[in-house]
Amino acid sequence: MANLDPKARAYVEMFNQMPAIHKMEPNAVREMFASVPPVEVELAPLAKIEDRKVSVGQDDQIKIRVYTPEGEGPFPVFVYYHGGGWVIGDLETSDASCRMLANRTNRIVVSVDYRLAPEYKFPIPVEDSYTALKWVSEHANEFNGNASNLVVGGDSAGGNLAAVVSQLSKDQNGPNILGQVLVYPVTALTYDTKSYFDFQEGYGLDRDLMIWFGNHYINSEEDSRNKYVSPLSSEDLSNLPSALIITAENDVLRDEGNKYGQSLRDAGVNVEMHCEEGLVHGYFTNMAVFPERIEKSINRIEEFLNKLNQTVLNKG
């Protein structure tokens, strides 16, 4: 195997004993993960955790979870989108990581439970994510948040949605986003980078599994070239929020994450990029296996957000 952290090696060996997800139906995959007993982990203490609902579409609602740190506020706000290939995942998927993010960054974290494919294909998850972002911007004062200091972020498909809503908000003159935190984001649906072939099988997120996710998400091949599906395909990446991009060394998505960061940088965007050595896709929300490495990544996020806070203070 490649350069694998011992915990990552044990994790992928366990993962490889599971049924091949890309040969299953989405509901069966969801049921399989739901049947796994939760692992007890020590969760970061917070002042308040509250579930709310946001109206989307004509008659639907999605859930959001608001994590408020200790202190007086008003707090800057971090809108977070969970991973799961747009097909699986929910608020619980990223709960432990969101708690730690709120606790360590001293920001209110709002986690968004967007609707999932294939029942709700593109563009619905994007529309839900952007609607939630606008709702947070307009209602931040209701939960002691400061909408003038707003960042977005997410992992994997959630990193994709964070990148996409950043582009969408620029295009539609929407909420002012100061920063985007993209943890091993999906930035294209071409499945053809070097890392896709180096880690195509046996590292958790197989190439075939990523193709399975992508095919459930999009309606047609044409969708895969839409910049709101594949943000790397955008012809204009200028004037986007400052970005922190964190990739995992042994991950099919590593190279496209780096390529997106370089493309943003070439367009004049302030970008920081870090590759977490020895790690695999999915580590950031697996507190039971990777608590120390998650903390290390959150330290990077904290440093990045502190710099953004300083720019707000300087402008003020």
Side-chain angles (χ1 to χ4, degrees):
M1 277 194 168
N3 174 38
L4 276 174
D5 175 284
K7 288 186 176 180
R9 186 181 300 277
Y11 169 76
V12 296
E13 287 174 355
M14 178 188 68
F15 195 93
N16 291 338
Q17 294 173 10
M18 296 171 58
I21 293 174
H22 69 275
K23 296 180 179 179
M24 299 171 63
E25 291 299 315
N27 275 332
V29 175
R30 294 167 188 157
E31 290 170 5
M32 179 179 70
F33 281 114
S35 69
V36 177
V39 178
E40 291 295 326
V41 296
E42 186 175 344
L43 298 174
L46 294 167
K48 185 179 182 182
I49 299 174
E50 177 186 11
D51 286 355
R52 293 193 176 205
K53 290 188 177 179
V54 173
S55 295
V56 293
Q58 291 186 326
D59 335 277
D60 289 311
Q61 292 183 316
I62 58 171
K63 286 197 298 185
I64 60 171
R65 182 167 293 169
V66 183
Y67 301 82
T68 304
E70 298 284 352
E72 293 190 15
F75 298 96
V77 181
F78 190 149
V79 179
Y80 194 90
Y81 304 102
H82 67 78
W86 309 282
V87 174
I88 57 177
D90 54 26
L91 295 180
E92 304 308 325
T93 304
S94 55
D95 182 69
S97 296
C98 285
R99 287 170 183 253
M100 185 180 282
L101 274 170
N103 181 274
R104 292 294 298 277
T105 66
N106 204 39
R107 281 179 175 260
I108 288 176
V109 173
V110 180
S111 184
V112 179
D113 199 21
Y114 54 90
R115 289 173 289 178
L116 299 175
E119 295 85 352
Y120 300 98
K121 288 178 174 282
F122 173 79
I124 291 174
V126 171
E127 292 171 350
D128 287 357
S129 299
Y130 188 57
T131 297
L133 173 68
K134 290 191 293 183
W135 185 92
V136 168
S137 177
E138 293 165 3
H139 297 265
N141 62 313
E142 295 178 13
F143 49 84
N144 204 18
N146 175 10
S148 68
N149 189 335
L150 178 66
V151 302
V152 297
D155 62 286
S156 194
N160 168 274
L161 291 170
V164 166
V165 297
S166 296
Q167 292 195 21
L168 195 54
S169 199
K170 182 189 84 166
D171 294 344
Q172 297 194 5
N173 197 27
N176 181 37
I177 302 170
L178 292 179
Q180 47 184 324
V181 176
L182 314 179
V183 181
Y184 38 73
V186 184
T187 65
L189 291 185
T190 51
Y191 320 110
D192 60 357
T193 60
K194 183 176 183 296
S195 60
Y196 254 109
F197 292 100
D198 287 347
F199 309 109
Q200 64 179 307
E201 189 174 3
Y203 294 87
L205 181 62
D206 290 353
R207 182 172 183 268
D208 285 343
L209 177 54
M210 193 60 227
I211 292 171
W212 182 87
F213 281 131
N215 287 343
H216 279 305
Y217 181 46
I218 60 176
N219 302 280
S220 65
E221 183 64 27
E222 184 180 359
D223 278 352
S224 69
R225 296 184 288 273
N226 189 308
K227 69 177 182 177
Y228 297 140
V229 169
S230 299
L232 187 55
S233 68
S234 175
E235 295 180 0
D236 180 13
L237 295 174
S238 63
N239 300 311
L240 285 168
S242 296
L244 170 64
I245 299 178
I246 298 174
T247 55
E249 182 180 9
N250 307 286
D251 181 7
V252 293
L253 299 181
R254 183 195 67 197
D255 290 352
E256 68 188 61
N258 290 334
K259 190 174 181 181
Y260 189 60
Q262 190 57 53
S263 296
L264 287 171
R265 192 174 279 166
D266 291 345
V269 177
N270 174 50
V271 180
E272 294 182 22
M273 289 190 281
H274 298 281
C275 182
E276 297 291 3
E277 293 184 3
L279 290 186
V280 293
H281 192 87
Y283 83 88
F284 187 73
T285 52
N286 196 326
M287 194 70 71
V289 179
F290 301 105
E292 299 88 357
R293 300 303 297 271
I294 295 172
E295 185 169 6
K296 181 180 177 183
S297 292
I298 288 179
N299 285 343
R300 297 192 194 282
I301 294 170
E302 182 183 13
E303 291 172 7
F304 173 73
L305 296 179
N306 284 341
K307 293 173 190 173
L308 292 184
N309 290 343
Q310 195 57 49
T311 63
V312 173
L313 290 173
N314 291 341
K315 286 179 181 177

